[in-house]
């Protein structure tokens, strides 16, 4: 411990053991992973992949939220990420030269 903590008056504290906390987090991560695998299984691009590969992809996916009108990508940006719509709607536009 980095400090000593003493009750300065009669106190009651909730205590959560580290192992229990980690167990809850691990359980929640498994549920979230299962949700992502299910989402990917609905997309044609991933239907022919081995389940283990779909799970690996799901494991590294991150859910990002955007406000209405917020730019997700801009024409000309490097294509360094692949986006899949989990909820909501987006509009794609392209400016043509000429």
């Amino acid at each position: 411990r980095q400090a000593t903590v003493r009750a300065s008056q009669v106190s009651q504290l909730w205590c959560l053991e580290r192992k229990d906390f980690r167990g809850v987090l691990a359980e929640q991560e498994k549920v979230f992973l299962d949700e992502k695998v299910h989402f990917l299984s609905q997309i044609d691009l991933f239907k022919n992949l081995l389940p283990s590969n779909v799970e690996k992809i799901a494991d590294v996916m991150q859910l990002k939220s955007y406000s209405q009108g917020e730019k997700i990508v801009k024409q000309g940006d490097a294509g360094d990420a692949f986006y899949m719509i989990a909820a909501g709607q987006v509009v794609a536009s392209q400016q043509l030269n000429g």
Side-chain angles (χ1 to χ4, degrees):
R1 299 278 181 193
Q2 295 293 316
T4 299
V5 178
R6 297 179 195 268
S8 58
Q9 63 184 38
V10 175
S11 304
Q12 294 180 331
L13 286 75
W14 289 106
C15 177
L16 177 60
E17 299 290 334
R18 182 185 308 254
K19 66 177 177 52
D20 296 329
F21 179 69
R22 286 187 175 165
V24 169
L25 289 181
E27 184 178 310
Q28 183 58 41
E29 282 295 316
K30 175 67 174 132
V31 168
F32 194 44
L33 179 63
D34 290 346
E35 289 174 0
K36 293 189 290 185
V37 167
H38 177 72
F39 172 79
L40 290 174
S41 73
Q42 306 302 308
I43 298 172
D44 288 340
L45 180 66
F46 301 105
K47 286 189 178 187
N48 293 324
L49 294 180
L50 294 172
S52 60
N53 289 334
V54 174
E55 190 167 310
K56 287 176 186 176
I57 293 168
D59 192 41
V60 296
M61 286 173 34
Q62 298 176 11
L63 186 62
K64 296 187 175 190
S65 297
Y66 296 88
S67 301
Q68 184 175 354
E70 184 178 356
K71 277 187 187 158
I72 299 168
V73 296
K74 185 177 88 176
Q75 186 173 341
D77 286 351
D80 58 357
F82 179 67
Y83 294 87
M84 297 164 280
I85 302 167
Q89 294 181 338
V90 301
V91 174
S93 62
Q94 182 181 34
Q95 289 197 346
L96 302 175
N97 292 331

